[in-house]
Each structure stands twice: as structure tokens, then as C-alpha cells.
Amino acid sequence: MRGLCRFFITVWVGLILISSAFAQRPVVVASKKFTESVILGDIAAQWAVHRTAEPNSGQKIEVRHQRELGLSQVIWKALLRGDVDVYPEYTGTLLREVLANRQLASVEELKSVLRRDYQVGMTRTLGFDNSFALGMREEKARLLGISKLSDLKGFSNLKFGLSHEFLSRSEGWPSIQKVYQIIGQNPIGIEHELAYRAMSEGKLDVTDLYSTDAEIPYYEIRVLDDDLKSFPSYEAVFIYRLDLERRAPLVIAALNDLEGQISLKQMNDLNKKVKYDRAREEEVANQFLTEKFTGRLSSIAKFSSPKWMDDVLRRGGEHLYLVGVSLLFSILVGIPMGIIAAKVPWMGSPILTGAGVIQTIPSLALLVFMIPIFGIGTVPAIAALFFYSLLPMILNTYTGIKEIPETIRDSAVGLGLSPWQRLRLVEIPMASRSIFAGVKTSAVINVGTATLGSLIGAGGLGQLILMGVRRDDLGMILSGAVPAAVLALVVQWTFDWAESRVLPRAREGAGR
Amino acid sequence: MIEQESLNQVGPQKGAEVLIDQVRVILSGQEILKGISLRVEPGTCLALLGPSGCGKSTLLRTIIGLVTPHSGRVTIHGQLMSRETSQKLRKEIGFCVQDGGLFPHLNLEQNVTLMAGLLRWSPSQISNRLEELLELTQMSTSLLKRFPNQVSGGQRQRVSLMRSLFLNPSLILLDEPMGALDPMVRSELQDELKSIFKKLGKTVILVTHDLSEAAYLGQSLVLMRAGEIVQQGSTRDLIDRPRDRFVTQYIRSQRAEVLL
């Protein structure tokens, strides 16, 4: 037993050291899960890399782009917690969604409240206002002579198809309806992405949109003028943690460089390049920066070709960390629970049922459940993996102890061993093979499940798979999937090897 | 030859008296023992006989406190076997289960010396005791580092006996000790057991379904059926003065008259 413990502790300390070396805290630029945000994140990250890589910068800072995080609240909390340092945001979102309960009146007030109460800085506008708008097909609008929102009033037979978000947000449909007195309309709820298509097929006449949408030029949409100024403004800005002033002032300088540099038309164009020309966000961002800041190309170019092997190694390190830590906790909790289930008759059924129920939750759902409790990043992913690996651990411990032959139990009692001595000297050693198999099963399952961790910002090899899927890039998918599979095999082999070396010689059929 | 005195180095332990008084055992709604009363004379060997399912093993398990009687009591050496006293009393009882019950993850020596080690015997005490028992059970020292599944069934049984004798108990309980052995080994081991019992003067309760074994080892035989004692007495009593037809049938089924 002692040998077994020592082996585990060594392996874990090793794993954690190795992976923490990979996971040293860089400056994290984050983006939300839609194209524009990812492009802006890439622009910020690349420009920050460029600025901090200047010869006399005196700073060696790693800048990372944490892509495609969930909702506004998730990424905002991540910023406050320090998981994220910078992300692109819109003033309207901050005023009306993130800090809605502060009832702030102006952008100036917002800026000072962010600085004072949240230690968060905000750049000036990047140059465009991505506000809500309503749009119609150019052809239809021309036919009916509609160019501004107040023109809609007279047409009660137009079909409105609005996104669920627009329908529910106070500054969306409820406000528009009141301000422009659009009466008698019963808009249907529709996915934003589908609305354009539906409109081009004539099934819808009016939909909500974001003024930077790539679809506006593509589908020839007329954006109706908000003549009564009902929509709040959604100026694009970067917000960042003020501790960057100390940690990486050049990153803030880089963000300031970008103020006023992107026009609505340019953003529209960048979005279209990614969405319809299938360019990668990094390339689009890189191209934009190159055109904007000619003469400062060298280090940008370097950024655009990330070292493949480094990426796989770093993701692999993160992956191992997720698996290692979650497994450690599930051993610390699962084995004692398995023992209790086996030894305390009335506890057996509730423990096994509980662990079984957790196992039936789809792994993705379990990950998402963790967000309200632990936020985003590594911690919720580890928590989810922990819960996921409990069942094999509990069940194998339970089975291992229950399967000890009755004659051996009787002997142990008959010898006069105390319950604790029986557990320590007989039951756990005899169940160790089964317990070990449980650890192995959990480890292998966790290596697979951890690929989902990237969905909530935990990184790992799944990030490569996700990006590959988003970009339809098979090579990138494989660069995540193959190492994950190899890792699972390596974990399996390591455990098999350890099993033959370390376990007590619990030979089958003994005493027969 | 072993000296009686040297075997008693861990304190003189003569046979204990065992009293079983109106013991009823109900397991999962079934009455396994229906009010058994029995007295085992100190220093004698009592054989519990009967067809399988008659409750003889349960009676043995009740004596060592593995089964708690529904009513009635078991007294060993004047001490009542109960939840509170069981841990202490078991150290004075040697218990051998059917297949030896050796712990497969410990080698033979570790199996035998486990309890003494936990009770903080000195290493020299342990090795002396081990020597004595090796001689007593005719085991060879070279086997001690082996694991239970690396030795024969007869050797496992001897080791189990060594383990049960290690703390020099006053009562030895044997549950079908020869159950799985082939006839040659069996008779050899029976011879050894008989001489060991004689040398040590312990009280022994032996569960067996083999009449000849019971007759050979036991001074007194108890024949059980369906949770009750049918007849108690010497082998001759059972053969010559059977209490009822079941006794006769049981004896005849074992073809024991030929042997006796």
C-alpha cells in the first residue's frame, strides 16, 4: 500500500509541475463566441504581441487569445476574477446588460465607474457603433418607400421575425414598439442567422440585425434609420484589467493604438471575409493590421504562423492538468465513498444511485452546470471531470470490497482484527486491484471528456478540435484529436505498467 | 518432539469451557438454530456433524460472534460472548475456516504473525513462536515466504492452523478443515490434528460432515438436523443407540459401520 501511495504522489506532483510550467499566466485577451468578437480579439492580441515584442520594450510577455467564450456575464466575471485581462465589448452591453443595475446614464459615467468600482479600464471607441437595427430587403423597402423606423407605423401587414434576444431585451422590441407605435404586429421569434435567409426567401419582411453584420451587404439589406434615437449606442471598445498598467503597460498602449481605427464599413468587411470568404480570423486580423500600420510587419507575420508543435504541447499540458487534478480529487473522495457504501449497509444504495445519476448527465451539460458555481476556465472543468469520474471510482471500490470471499472476511473477524484493522490490512489491499482499475477507467474517461473543457475556457486539446470544427480545418481537428487519443493510450499503458509493478500480489484463487 | 512447557511460553492456556444456552438464530426470516444448548468440556474435542444446511457452521459462527443470536447466550470460560466482549474474546479463540481463509495478499509468514505483530510482540517472541508452530504442524521454513496460492491445499490448511494457534488460544474452532483435501492428505492431516490436540490440551470444536473424521478426532459427537440437535454422544452411542431413524440413516449413508 505504501508503495502504491508513493507512486501516486510522485506521479501527481510530477504531472502538476510539468503542466504548471506550460500554464504560466500570460496576458489573456478573450473574445465572445461570435465572429466579430473573435476578430477583434485577434486584432488586439496580435497588436499587443507586436508591441510587446518591440526590441526596447524591456518586457517579455506572452499574450494569449482565449477564444469563443460564452455569454457576456461569463466573460465579464472572468475579467473580474482575473481569468481574462482584455476583451472587446460594446458600451450598450455594459450599460444595459452587464451593469444594468447601476443605472448609469452616460459612457463617461460608465468609464469612471468601471475604473473606480471594478478596477477595469476602457478604451475610447474603436470607431464603429454596432447597435441594434431593423432591416428590410432593399427591394421591398424601396417598393414600400420605407427608409426609417417611423415609416413602419403605417404597414400592419408586414411580417416581423425577430431574434429571441431582441424580443426579450428591454431596449429591443418592447422599446421599439412603444417609441414607434408599431401596433398590431405579432413578431415571430427566429434564430438570428436564419432570419436573413428567411427574409431573402420572402418569408419575412423585417428583422433585427446588428449594424456590422456581414449579411447586410451580402443579402442587400436596407438598414432602417433609427430616426427617433430609440436604440442605445453600442460603441465597440476594449475593456481591460487595470492591473495591466503594472503587469504589461505595453498591452494597454497597444489597445489605445486601436482607438478610432475601425470604421463600420471596415468591420462589416472583416466580418464578411470570415463568414463568406472563409478566411481565418487571425489572417483577417493580420491583414487588417498590416494595411493599417504599414511598415511594422515583421513580428505580425511571425504571429500568423503559430508553431504547431508548441500549440499541441501547451494544449496537451493543459489537458493533463485537467485530468490529473480532477482525478486526484475523485480518488480522495471516491474511494472513501466506495468504502462507506460497502461498509455501511444503509449508505450503499444512496451513494451508488447518486453517483449513477451524475453519470447519466451528458458531459457537456455537466460542464455548463458548473459555470454558475465556478465561473469559466480550469476550475469548473475540473469540477465537472471530478463528478464524472466519481462513479467508476466508487463502484470499483465498492465492488472490490464486496467481492472479498466470506471466508476471508470471517477469518479477519475471527482473528480479532478491529474494523479499522480489517479495512486497512485486509479489505483495501484485497480490493486494490479493483480500485486501481477504477482509477484507470476514470483517467481514461477523463482524458476523453476533458476535450470538452475548451467550451468553458479550460483549454486543453479540445480547443484545437473546436477551432478546427469552426474553421472546417481537418488538420487542426486532428492535431487535437490525435494527441488526445494518444494521451488516453499512454494513460492506459502507464496504469497497466504500474499495476504489474506496484500492486500487492493479490493473486486470484488464493485459498482455493 | 515438542515440549509441553515451551509451547506455553505465551502464558499457560488450558482448554476453555464453552456453554451454549438456548441459542436461537434467525437469518433473513429463517430460523437457522432452534434453541441449541450444549456444553463442551474443557480440553476435549467436540465434533459437530450433520447434513449441509443443518446449522452446524452457523453454530460455530455464533460461538465466535460472527452471528448474533436472536436469543440465548454463548459463554466461553465464563465470559459472555457479546458485541462488547467479542473483540477481546476472539484473541483467545483460534478460528480456521473451510478453505483456510488465508489473506491472499500476504505471504504465509505474514498471515501467521499478523495478529502477534499488531499486539506488539517482540520480534524474538514472534520468531520463537513461529519455530514451535512450524515443528508442531510439520511445515518447512522454506515455504514461509510463499503466498497462499503458491502452496498446496494441505499446506494452506496447516498454515491456517498455525495462524489460529499463534496467540495460544484456549479454544479452537475448525470449520470443515479438511473439506477440499484429497484423501491421502486428509488422513495425514487428521493424524497431525489428533496429535496436536492431544499435546496442547485445548478445547476444540470441529464442524464436519464426515462421520469417520468426527469419530477419529472427537471425544464427543453432536449430530444436527434442521437447526436442532438430534443426538449427542460418543460414536458408539450413535451407532448402537440411535435416538431415531435419521441417526441410523445418516450413519448408514456414510458407510461408517465398515470403518468402525
Side-chain angles (χ1 to χ4, degrees):
Chain A
M1 269 324 271
R2 208 155 286 163
L4 193 67
C5 290
R6 205 176 303 137
F7 169 78
F8 275 124
I9 289 166
T10 317
V11 167
W12 260 293
V13 169
L15 275 182
I16 287 165
L17 283 180
I18 290 166
S19 45
S20 60
F22 282 111
Q24 197 203 356
R25 173 105 176 80
V27 171
V28 179
V29 176
S31 54
K32 299 192 202 175
K33 61 177 180 183
F34 55 91
T35 304
E36 180 168 308
S37 190
V38 178
I39 295 173
L40 290 175
D42 270 323
I43 289 178
Q46 290 187 26
W47 191 243
V49 166
H50 173 75
R51 287 294 304 262
T52 54
E54 277 168 7
N56 336 322
S57 70
Q59 271 184 305
K60 195 87 181 122
I61 300 164
E62 194 199 338
V63 180
R64 242 176 67 193
H65 182 189
Q66 172 111 50
R67 307 165 152 268
E68 300 153 337
L69 287 177
L71 305 164
S72 299
Q73 280 294 343
V74 170
I75 193 166
W76 167 251
K77 291 208 174 93
L79 182 80
L80 296 187
R81 288 158 56 107
D83 297 342
V84 163
D85 295 306
V86 180
Y87 77 93
E89 188 52 286
Y90 304 94
T91 52
T93 312
L94 288 168
L95 286 169
R96 282 148 208 282
E97 199 184 327
V98 179
L99 300 177
N101 56 353
R102 303 292 300 254
Q103 306 275 338
L104 303 174
S106 67
V107 173
E108 285 68 40
E109 200 183 345
L110 169 66
K111 196 162 182 167
S112 68
V113 164
L114 282 176
R115 184 166 274 273
R116 195 185 64 226
D117 296 350
Y118 300 99
Q119 282 75 52
V120 168
M122 186 175 104
T123 64
R124 284 189 287 118
T125 174
L126 301 179
F128 67 93
D129 177 359
N130 185 7
S131 69
F132 276 125
L134 292 186
M136 295 178 70
R137 260 190 322 138
E138 180 64 40
E139 200 185 315
K140 180 112 184 177
R142 199 180 319 126
L143 199 73
L144 299 176
I146 299 174
S147 64
K148 49 188 194 294
L149 289 177
S150 35
D151 294 341
L152 288 171
K153 205 167 151 188
F155 300 92
S156 58
N157 57 345
L158 288 174
K159 279 171 283 182
F160 281 61
L162 305 175
S163 71
H164 301 283
E165 195 184 3
F166 188 80
L167 280 172
S168 63
R169 276 163 75 148
S170 62
E171 74 267 29
W173 178 245
S175 150
I176 291 296
Q177 206 181 6
K178 219 174 290 158
V179 172
Y180 290 101
Q181 302 190 334
I182 304 169
I183 301 160
Q185 273 298 339
N186 192 16
I188 57 162
I190 186 168
E191 276 301 309
H192 187 57
E193 315 270 324
L194 299 178
Y196 286 107
R197 193 174 295 262
M199 201 151 68
S200 77
E201 287 164 4
K203 290 179 184 144
L204 287 179
D205 297 317
V206 183
T207 190
D208 63 303
L209 39 81
Y210 298 102
S211 41
T212 58
D213 280 351
E215 289 84 352
I216 293 170
Y218 187 86
Y219 285 105
E220 295 174 1
I221 305 292
R222 178 183 283 190
V223 179
L224 303 181
D225 185 23
D226 179 20
D227 50 331
L228 298 181
K229 298 287 167 230
S230 163
F231 288 120
S233 99
Y234 278 75
E235 294 288 340
V237 294
F238 284 110
I239 60 173
Y240 52 88
R241 290 175 61 82
L242 283 177
D243 64 7
L244 283 184
E245 284 172 352
R246 181 176 40 77
R247 282 168 54 212
L250 280 176
V251 171
I252 296 179
L255 298 177
N256 291 335
D257 289 345
L258 295 168
E259 290 173 348
Q261 296 295 334
I262 310 171
S263 70
L264 184 60
K265 168 120 190 15
Q266 278 172 316
M267 196 64 238
N268 246 313
D269 191 46
L270 295 176
N271 285 336
K272 185 175 146 288
K273 276 182 184 157
V274 172
K275 253 193 155 139
Y276 293 100
D277 306 342
R278 304 183 72 81
R280 293 162 40 153
E281 292 93 342
E282 291 103 311
E283 288 164 11
V284 169
N286 190 264
Q287 211 180 347
F288 170 80
L289 288 170
T290 312
E291 282 163 16
K292 205 84 197 171
F293 303 100
T294 32
R296 290 178 174 183
L297 305 180
S298 54
S299 62
I300 297 175
K302 220 190 304 172
F303 187 91
S304 65
S305 55
K307 278 180 223 131
W308 178 81
M309 202 54 209
D310 285 358
D311 216 23
V312 172
L313 275 181
R314 192 164 59 82
R315 296 300 181 195
E318 290 167 355
H319 208 88
L320 268 181
Y321 183 80
L322 292 178
V323 173
V325 174
S326 60
L327 196 61
L328 180 62
F329 280 107
S330 89
I331 286 173
L332 292 179
V333 175
I335 293 176
M337 283 180 81
I339 292 170
I340 292 169
K343 302 290 286 182
V344 186
W346 62 271
M347 293 286 280
S349 164
I351 288 179
L352 294 178
T353 312
V357 166
I358 290 174
Q359 205 71 11
T360 62
I361 302 173
S363 39
L364 184 55
L366 193 60
L367 280 169
V368 174
F369 286 158
M370 293 298 129
I371 293 179
I373 311 168
F374 298 109
I376 61 148
T378 311
V379 177
I382 286 175
L385 291 175
F386 158 75
F387 282 119
Y388 228 52
S389 52
L390 267 184
L391 182 66
M393 207 74 78
I394 293 176
L395 203 58
N396 276 54
T397 307
Y398 173 85
T399 315
I401 290 179
K402 281 285 180 188
E403 273 180 353
I404 296 172
E406 199 186 10
T407 53
I408 290 189
R409 288 170 189 284
D410 285 358
S411 291
V413 177
L415 272 180
L417 292 171
S418 70
W420 173 243
Q421 286 170 333
R422 293 202 294 270
L423 190 64
R424 187 166 62 87
L425 299 170
V426 179
E427 285 159 342
I428 290 178
M430 284 189 69
S432 60
R433 199 161 279 269
S434 173
I435 294 173
F436 201 79
V439 176
K440 183 166 78 177
T441 308
S442 296
V444 173
I445 289 178
N446 271 8
V447 169
T449 314
T451 52
L452 294 175
S454 55
L455 289 171
I456 55 171
L461 293 165
Q463 192 83 41
L464 299 172
I465 300 175
L466 257 195
M467 276 195 280
V469 170
R470 242 174 76 82
R471 291 176 187 159
D472 205 10
D473 179 343
L474 185 63
M476 183 166 273
I477 295 176
L478 290 179
S479 75
V482 171
V486 171
L487 201 58
L489 284 177
V490 169
V491 165
Q492 170 108 33
W493 289 330
T494 308
F495 275 99
D496 287 345
W497 173 82
E499 194 172 15
S500 65
R501 292 295 302 269
V502 187
L503 276 190
R505 306 170 69 174
R507 284 142 196 284
E508 277 103 81
R512 279 275 128 197
Chain B
M1 209 47 198
I2 309 281
E3 303 288 325
Q4 180 78 34
E5 294 77 35
S6 72
L7 272 172
N8 290 340
Q9 64 153 337
V10 285
Q13 280 277 35
K14 282 295 168 192
E17 181 192 47
V18 179
L19 275 173
I20 297 159
D21 183 23
Q22 287 299 321
V23 165
R24 280 181 74 221
V25 167
I26 297 169
L27 293 177
S28 30
Q30 231 188 328
E31 195 171 13
I32 309 291
L33 296 180
K34 302 171 180 169
I36 301 278
S37 292
L38 201 58
R39 178 171 178 274
V40 188
E41 294 281 344
T44 64
C45 178
L46 179 106
L48 287 173
L49 268 170
S52 39
C54 70
K56 56 192 191 299
S57 278
T58 304
L59 182 56
L60 203 70
R61 288 159 53 85
T62 310
I63 295 170
I64 198 164
L66 279 165
V67 173
T68 309
H70 189 255
S71 63
R73 42 200 268 158
V74 173
T75 322
I76 296 163
H77 239 339
Q79 289 171 286
L80 182 72
M81 173 60 83
S82 69
R83 213 175 277 278
E84 294 73 34
T85 59
S86 62
Q87 195 99 335
K88 185 172 145 287
L89 276 177
R90 281 171 193 152
K91 299 202 171 78
E92 297 173 26
I93 304 174
F95 183 45
C96 273
V97 298
Q98 181 165 7
D99 58 11
L102 297 177
F103 304 134
H105 58 292
L106 301 179
N107 68 27
L108 300 182
E109 181 174 343
Q110 289 166 331
N111 260 289
V112 172
T113 60
L114 180 68
M115 261 334 267
L118 290 173
L119 294 172
R120 305 199 179 286
W121 285 26
S122 72
S124 62
Q125 256 181 315
I126 292 179
S127 66
N128 288 344
R129 181 66 177 157
L130 197 57
E131 281 300 314
E132 292 169 5
L133 290 173
L134 281 169
E135 277 196 59
L136 185 73
T137 55
Q138 319 257 302
M139 279 283 291
S140 118
T141 320
S142 61
L143 291 175
L144 283 178
K145 297 294 175 203
R146 297 216 184 151
F147 285 85
N149 70 328
Q150 294 172 319
V151 298
S152 71
Q155 285 163 332
R156 274 202 291 275
Q157 211 43 258
R158 287 190 178 92
V159 173
S160 180
L161 191 67
M162 280 171 72
R163 183 171 74 174
S164 63
L165 290 173
F166 205 88
L167 300 183
N168 198 16
S170 54
L171 170 64
I172 299 169
L173 306 178
L174 303 171
D175 193 354
E176 306 257 12
M178 258 72 69
L181 303 183
D182 69 72
M184 293 285 285
V185 183
R186 200 181 166 100
S187 72
E188 193 184 326
L189 203 61
Q190 283 167 350
D191 283 343
E192 278 168 32
L193 277 179
K194 191 167 174 110
S195 90
I196 290 169
F197 294 165
K198 200 173 157 197
K199 261 178 235 163
L200 300 183
K202 313 280 187 197
T203 308
V204 178
I205 301 175
L206 168 77
V207 165
T208 179
H209 58 262
D210 178 358
L211 181 61
S212 64
E213 184 170 291
Y216 182 63
L217 292 171
Q219 279 104 337
S220 173
L221 274 52
V222 170
L223 180 60
M224 290 179 66
R225 181 181 59 171
E228 285 171 312
I229 293 176
V230 182
Q231 187 169 2
Q232 176 174 12
S234 67
T235 320
R236 281 258 72 88
D237 292 339
L238 264 64
I239 293 172
D240 299 343
R241 291 173 290 280
R243 166 97 37 99
D244 62 15
R245 270 176 53 82
F246 171 74
V247 179
T248 318
Q249 275 171 356
Y250 186 79
I251 290 169
R252 189 165 299 149
S253 75
Q254 299 242 351
R255 315 256 183 264
E257 290 115 324
V258 188
L259 296 172
L260 294 168

